[in-house]
Amino acid sequence: MGLAPPARHVRAREQKKLTPFSTSSPSLPSLPLSPSDLQGPRPAGWPEDAACYRVLITPTTEGGDAAASDEKQLDLVFAYPPLYPDTPPLLKPRSVRGLSSAELADVLAACDGAVEANAGMPMMYAVISACQDWLRSVVGRGLGGGD
């Protein structure tokens, strides 16, 4: 059995860092989702044969306030295109609790910034971290702790 191309090795290593229901750190394995697990139609333009993943993102850090995580939560649904990481991943943030359409557009912009900053490299950890940082800032503003 031959070796897989380097991008596949990188993608496999990166996938091990993700979890479908992480509350504090994207460091556990992510599981592929079936289309029914996406809780809605597959985002437009996504290939039918691409494995999709979902990560639950909350603003809580280890030892953080659990009440803050109840206020706002989001799922980041993503899929790797065949040429990842040379081609950016497909991304779709979805509100689990308390996020408006405008806020979802803002978090997608934060994701896009992380994608641009990490172009050509494995980036999902950075993208998920950007989502969590964005969510913390939104919750912090709502609690009077932000700008």
Side-chain angles (χ1 to χ4, degrees):
M1 182 157 103
L3 296 176
R8 294 198 188 280
H9 286 293
V10 170
R11 181 172 36 183
R13 278 195 306 259
E14 189 170 66
Q15 286 175 355
K16 291 178 184 172
K17 295 178 183 176
L18 305 173
T19 178
F21 299 105
S22 174
T23 58
S24 62
S25 173
S27 61
L28 300 173
S30 182
L31 302 174
L33 302 173
S34 71
S36 63
D37 291 334
L38 293 175
Q39 299 175 350
R42 180 178 290 271
W46 287 30
E48 289 296 323
D49 60 344
C52 293
Y53 301 87
R54 181 180 68 206
V55 179
L56 175 66
I57 301 173
T58 68
T60 306
T61 59
E62 284 187 39
D65 180 13
S69 69
D70 290 338
E71 183 179 341
K72 295 186 185 257
Q73 296 179 352
L74 70 95
D75 271 339
L76 181 64
V77 178
F78 64 95
Y80 294 109
L83 298 177
Y84 178 81
D86 295 326
T87 303
L90 303 170
L91 303 168
K92 176 75 174 177
R94 293 186 172 163
S95 178
V96 172
R97 181 175 297 130
L99 295 172
S100 68
S101 296
E103 288 173 320
L104 290 175
D106 288 347
V107 75
L108 185 57
C111 289
D112 290 343
V115 167
E116 288 178 23
N118 293 281
M121 300 183 294
M123 64 185 73
M124 284 313 302
Y125 187 89
V127 170
I128 292 166
S129 294
C131 289
Q132 190 173 41
D133 291 344
W134 177 89
L135 194 56
R136 284 183 189 140
S137 73
V138 168
V139 170
R141 282 192 304 261
L143 298 174
D147 300 328

Short mmCIF file of all heavy atoms in Angstrom, two decimals, residues 102-142:
data_model
loop_
_atom_site.label_atom_id
_atom_site.label_comp_id
_atom_site.label_asym_id
_atom_site.label_seq_id
_atom_site.Cartn_x
_atom_site.Cartn_y
_atom_site.Cartn_z
N ALA A 102 -27.85 38.47 10.74
CA ALA A 102 -26.75 39.44 10.62
C ALA A 102 -25.52 38.95 11.38
O ALA A 102 -24.38 39.09 10.89
CB ALA A 102 -27.19 40.80 11.14
N GLU A 103 -25.72 38.35 12.55
CA GLU A 103 -24.60 37.83 13.32
C GLU A 103 -23.96 36.63 12.61
O GLU A 103 -22.74 36.48 12.62
CB GLU A 103 -25.04 37.45 14.72
CG GLU A 103 -25.33 38.65 15.60
CD GLU A 103 -25.93 38.30 16.93
OE1 GLU A 103 -26.80 37.39 17.00
OE2 GLU A 103 -25.55 38.95 17.92
N LEU A 104 -24.77 35.81 11.96
CA LEU A 104 -24.21 34.69 11.19
C LEU A 104 -23.37 35.19 10.03
O LEU A 104 -22.33 34.61 9.70
CB LEU A 104 -25.32 33.76 10.71
CG LEU A 104 -26.01 32.94 11.81
CD1 LEU A 104 -27.18 32.15 11.24
CD2 LEU A 104 -25.02 32.02 12.51
N ALA A 105 -23.80 36.28 9.41
CA ALA A 105 -23.00 36.89 8.34
C ALA A 105 -21.68 37.42 8.90
O ALA A 105 -20.62 37.27 8.27
CB ALA A 105 -23.79 38.01 7.66
N ASP A 106 -21.72 37.99 10.10
CA ASP A 106 -20.49 38.49 10.74
C ASP A 106 -19.53 37.35 11.07
O ASP A 106 -18.32 37.48 10.87
CB ASP A 106 -20.83 39.25 12.02
CG ASP A 106 -21.49 40.60 11.77
OD1 ASP A 106 -21.47 41.08 10.61
OD2 ASP A 106 -22.03 41.17 12.74
N VAL A 107 -20.06 36.25 11.59
CA VAL A 107 -19.17 35.14 11.93
C VAL A 107 -18.61 34.51 10.66
O VAL A 107 -17.45 34.08 10.64
CB VAL A 107 -19.84 34.08 12.85
CG1 VAL A 107 -20.82 33.21 12.11
CG2 VAL A 107 -18.79 33.22 13.52
N LEU A 108 -19.37 34.48 9.58
CA LEU A 108 -18.84 33.98 8.31
C LEU A 108 -17.70 34.87 7.83
O LEU A 108 -16.69 34.38 7.31
CB LEU A 108 -19.94 33.87 7.25
CG LEU A 108 -19.52 33.25 5.93
CD1 LEU A 108 -18.94 31.85 6.12
CD2 LEU A 108 -20.70 33.21 4.97
N ALA A 109 -17.82 36.18 8.03
CA ALA A 109 -16.74 37.11 7.67
C ALA A 109 -15.49 36.81 8.51
O ALA A 109 -14.36 36.86 8.00
CB ALA A 109 -17.18 38.55 7.85
N ALA A 110 -15.69 36.48 9.79
CA ALA A 110 -14.55 36.11 10.65
C ALA A 110 -13.90 34.82 10.13
O ALA A 110 -12.67 34.69 10.12
CB ALA A 110 -15.01 35.94 12.10
N CYS A 111 -14.73 33.88 9.70
CA CYS A 111 -14.22 32.62 9.12
C CYS A 111 -13.41 32.92 7.86
O CYS A 111 -12.30 32.38 7.67
CB CYS A 111 -15.36 31.69 8.74
SG CYS A 111 -16.24 30.95 10.11
N ASP A 112 -13.96 33.78 7.01
CA ASP A 112 -13.28 34.13 5.76
C ASP A 112 -11.92 34.77 6.04
O ASP A 112 -10.94 34.52 5.33
CB ASP A 112 -14.14 35.06 4.91
CG ASP A 112 -15.35 34.36 4.33
OD1 ASP A 112 -15.37 33.10 4.30
OD2 ASP A 112 -16.29 35.06 3.90
N GLY A 113 -11.84 35.59 7.09
CA GLY A 113 -10.56 36.19 7.46
C GLY A 113 -9.54 35.14 7.87
O GLY A 113 -8.37 35.21 7.48
N ALA A 114 -9.97 34.14 8.62
CA ALA A 114 -9.07 33.05 9.02
C ALA A 114 -8.65 32.23 7.82
O ALA A 114 -7.50 31.80 7.72
CB ALA A 114 -9.74 32.17 10.07
N VAL A 115 -9.57 32.01 6.88
CA VAL A 115 -9.24 31.26 5.67
C VAL A 115 -8.18 32.02 4.87
O VAL A 115 -7.18 31.44 4.42
CB VAL A 115 -10.51 31.01 4.82
CG1 VAL A 115 -10.16 30.54 3.42
CG2 VAL A 115 -11.41 29.99 5.50
N GLU A 116 -8.37 33.32 4.69
CA GLU A 116 -7.40 34.13 3.94
C GLU A 116 -6.04 34.14 4.63
O GLU A 116 -5.00 34.04 3.98
CB GLU A 116 -7.91 35.55 3.78
CG GLU A 116 -9.06 35.66 2.79
CD GLU A 116 -9.61 37.06 2.67
OE1 GLU A 116 -8.88 38.04 2.99
OE2 GLU A 116 -10.77 37.20 2.26
N ALA A 117 -6.03 34.26 5.95
CA ALA A 117 -4.77 34.31 6.70
C ALA A 117 -4.01 32.98 6.65
O ALA A 117 -2.79 32.96 6.82
CB ALA A 117 -5.04 34.69 8.16
N ASN A 118 -4.71 31.90 6.39
CA ASN A 118 -4.10 30.56 6.40
C ASN A 118 -4.15 29.89 5.03
O ASN A 118 -4.06 28.67 4.94
CB ASN A 118 -4.79 29.69 7.44
CG ASN A 118 -4.52 30.16 8.84
OD1 ASN A 118 -3.47 29.90 9.39
ND2 ASN A 118 -5.47 30.90 9.41
N ALA A 119 -4.29 30.67 3.98
CA ALA A 119 -4.42 30.12 2.62
C ALA A 119 -3.27 29.15 2.31
O ALA A 119 -2.11 29.43 2.59
CB ALA A 119 -4.43 31.25 1.60
N GLY A 120 -3.65 27.99 1.79
CA GLY A 120 -2.67 26.99 1.39
C GLY A 120 -2.18 26.09 2.51
O GLY A 120 -1.38 25.20 2.28
N MET A 121 -2.65 26.34 3.74
CA MET A 121 -2.24 25.54 4.89
C MET A 121 -3.48 24.91 5.52
O MET A 121 -4.59 25.41 5.33
CB MET A 121 -1.58 26.43 5.95
CG MET A 121 -0.35 27.16 5.48
SD MET A 121 0.42 28.13 6.81
CE MET A 121 -0.82 29.38 7.12
N PRO A 122 -3.31 23.84 6.30
CA PRO A 122 -4.45 23.33 7.06
C PRO A 122 -4.96 24.46 7.96
O PRO A 122 -4.17 25.14 8.62
CB PRO A 122 -3.87 22.19 7.88
CG PRO A 122 -2.66 21.77 7.12
CD PRO A 122 -2.13 23.02 6.48
N MET A 123 -6.28 24.68 7.96
CA MET A 123 -6.78 25.89 8.60
C MET A 123 -7.98 25.71 9.49
O MET A 123 -8.44 26.67 10.10
CB MET A 123 -7.12 26.91 7.52
CG MET A 123 -8.24 26.47 6.60
SD MET A 123 -8.55 27.59 5.24
CE MET A 123 -7.16 27.31 4.19
N MET A 124 -8.55 24.53 9.60
CA MET A 124 -9.81 24.41 10.33
C MET A 124 -9.68 24.76 11.81
O MET A 124 -10.59 25.34 12.38
CB MET A 124 -10.43 23.03 10.14
CG MET A 124 -11.08 22.83 8.79
SD MET A 124 -12.18 24.18 8.26
CE MET A 124 -13.37 24.25 9.58
N TYR A 125 -8.56 24.45 12.43
CA TYR A 125 -8.38 24.84 13.82
C TYR A 125 -8.44 26.37 13.93
O TYR A 125 -9.11 26.91 14.81
CB TYR A 125 -7.06 24.31 14.38
CG TYR A 125 -6.92 24.54 15.86
CD1 TYR A 125 -7.37 23.61 16.77
CD2 TYR A 125 -6.34 25.72 16.35
CE1 TYR A 125 -7.26 23.82 18.13
CE2 TYR A 125 -6.22 25.94 17.70
CZ TYR A 125 -6.68 24.99 18.60
OH TYR A 125 -6.58 25.21 19.95
N ALA A 126 -7.77 27.07 13.02
CA ALA A 126 -7.77 28.53 13.03
C ALA A 126 -9.16 29.08 12.75
O ALA A 126 -9.59 30.07 13.37
CB ALA A 126 -6.77 29.07 12.00
N VAL A 127 -9.90 28.46 11.83
CA VAL A 127 -11.25 28.91 11.50
C VAL A 127 -12.18 28.73 12.71
O VAL A 127 -12.93 29.64 13.07
CB VAL A 127 -11.80 28.17 10.26
CG1 VAL A 127 -13.28 28.45 10.05
CG2 VAL A 127 -10.99 28.53 9.02
N ILE A 128 -12.11 27.58 13.35
CA ILE A 128 -12.96 27.31 14.51
C ILE A 128 -12.58 28.25 15.66
O ILE A 128 -13.44 28.78 16.35
CB ILE A 128 -12.87 25.84 14.91
CG1 ILE A 128 -13.52 24.98 13.82
CG2 ILE A 128 -13.53 25.59 16.27
CD1 ILE A 128 -13.23 23.51 13.93
N SER A 129 -11.29 28.47 15.84
CA SER A 129 -10.84 29.41 16.88
C SER A 129 -11.36 30.82 16.60
O SER A 129 -11.76 31.53 17.52
CB SER A 129 -9.32 29.42 16.98
OG SER A 129 -8.85 28.18 17.44
N ALA A 130 -11.35 31.24 15.33
CA ALA A 130 -11.87 32.56 14.96
C ALA A 130 -13.36 32.65 15.28
O ALA A 130 -13.84 33.68 15.78
CB ALA A 130 -11.61 32.85 13.48
N CYS A 131 -14.09 31.58 15.01
CA CYS A 131 -15.53 31.56 15.36
C CYS A 131 -15.73 31.69 16.85
O CYS A 131 -16.58 32.45 17.31
CB CYS A 131 -16.18 30.26 14.88
SG CYS A 131 -16.37 30.12 13.12
N GLN A 132 -14.95 30.95 17.62
CA GLN A 132 -15.11 30.99 19.06
C GLN A 132 -14.71 32.36 19.61
O GLN A 132 -15.39 32.90 20.48
CB GLN A 132 -14.29 29.89 19.74
CG GLN A 132 -14.63 29.76 21.21
CD GLN A 132 -13.98 28.58 21.87
OE1 GLN A 132 -12.81 28.29 21.60
NE2 GLN A 132 -14.72 27.89 22.72
N ASP A 133 -13.64 32.96 19.09
CA ASP A 133 -13.24 34.30 19.52
C ASP A 133 -14.34 35.31 19.19
O ASP A 133 -14.66 36.18 20.01
CB ASP A 133 -11.94 34.72 18.85
CG ASP A 133 -10.74 33.92 19.34
OD1 ASP A 133 -10.84 33.25 20.39
OD2 ASP A 133 -9.70 33.96 18.66
N TRP A 134 -14.91 35.20 18.00
CA TRP A 134 -15.99 36.10 17.60
C TRP A 134 -17.18 35.94 18.56
O TRP A 134 -17.74 36.93 19.03
CB TRP A 134 -16.42 35.82 16.16
CG TRP A 134 -17.57 36.66 15.74
CD1 TRP A 134 -17.52 37.90 15.17
CD2 TRP A 134 -18.95 36.34 15.88
NE1 TRP A 134 -18.79 38.38 14.95
CE2 TRP A 134 -19.69 37.44 15.38
CE3 TRP A 134 -19.64 35.25 16.39
CZ2 TRP A 134 -21.08 37.46 15.37
CZ3 TRP A 134 -21.02 35.28 16.38
CH2 TRP A 134 -21.73 36.37 15.87
N LEU A 135 -17.53 34.70 18.86
CA LEU A 135 -18.67 34.44 19.73
C LEU A 135 -18.42 34.98 21.14
O LEU A 135 -19.30 35.57 21.76
CB LEU A 135 -18.96 32.93 19.76
CG LEU A 135 -20.29 32.49 20.35
CD1 LEU A 135 -21.46 33.14 19.63
CD2 LEU A 135 -20.41 30.97 20.25
N ARG A 136 -17.20 34.81 21.64
CA ARG A 136 -16.86 35.36 22.96
C ARG A 136 -17.01 36.88 22.96
O ARG A 136 -17.49 37.45 23.93
CB ARG A 136 -15.43 35.00 23.33
CG ARG A 136 -15.27 33.59 23.78
CD ARG A 136 -13.83 33.33 24.20
NE ARG A 136 -13.63 31.93 24.43
CZ ARG A 136 -12.54 31.26 24.07
NH1 ARG A 136 -11.55 31.87 23.46
NH2 ARG A 136 -12.44 29.97 24.31
N SER A 137 -16.58 37.53 21.89
CA SER A 137 -16.68 39.00 21.85
C SER A 137 -18.14 39.45 21.82
O SER A 137 -18.51 40.43 22.46
CB SER A 137 -15.90 39.57 20.67
OG SER A 137 -16.57 39.32 19.45
N VAL A 138 -18.99 38.71 21.09
CA VAL A 138 -20.41 39.06 21.03
C VAL A 138 -21.06 38.88 22.40
O VAL A 138 -21.81 39.74 22.86
CB VAL A 138 -21.14 38.20 19.96
CG1 VAL A 138 -22.64 38.32 20.07
CG2 VAL A 138 -20.67 38.61 18.58
N VAL A 139 -20.78 37.77 23.06
CA VAL A 139 -21.33 37.52 24.38
C VAL A 139 -20.78 38.54 25.38
O VAL A 139 -21.51 39.07 26.21
CB VAL A 139 -21.07 36.06 24.84
CG1 VAL A 139 -21.41 35.87 26.31
CG2 VAL A 139 -21.86 35.10 23.98
N GLY A 140 -19.49 38.87 25.26
CA GLY A 140 -18.88 39.85 26.14
C GLY A 140 -19.52 41.23 26.01
O GLY A 140 -19.77 41.91 27.00
N ARG A 141 -19.84 41.62 24.78
CA ARG A 141 -20.52 42.90 24.56
C ARG A 141 -21.92 42.87 25.19
O ARG A 141 -22.35 43.84 25.79
CB ARG A 141 -20.64 43.22 23.06
CG ARG A 141 -19.38 43.73 22.46
CD ARG A 141 -19.62 44.30 21.09
NE ARG A 141 -20.25 43.37 20.17
CZ ARG A 141 -19.61 42.65 19.24
NH1 ARG A 141 -18.31 42.76 19.12
NH2 ARG A 141 -20.28 41.84 18.45
N GLY A 142 -22.58 41.74 25.06
CA GLY A 142 -23.93 41.62 25.64
C GLY A 142 -23.93 41.65 27.15
O GLY A 142 -24.89 42.06 27.78
#
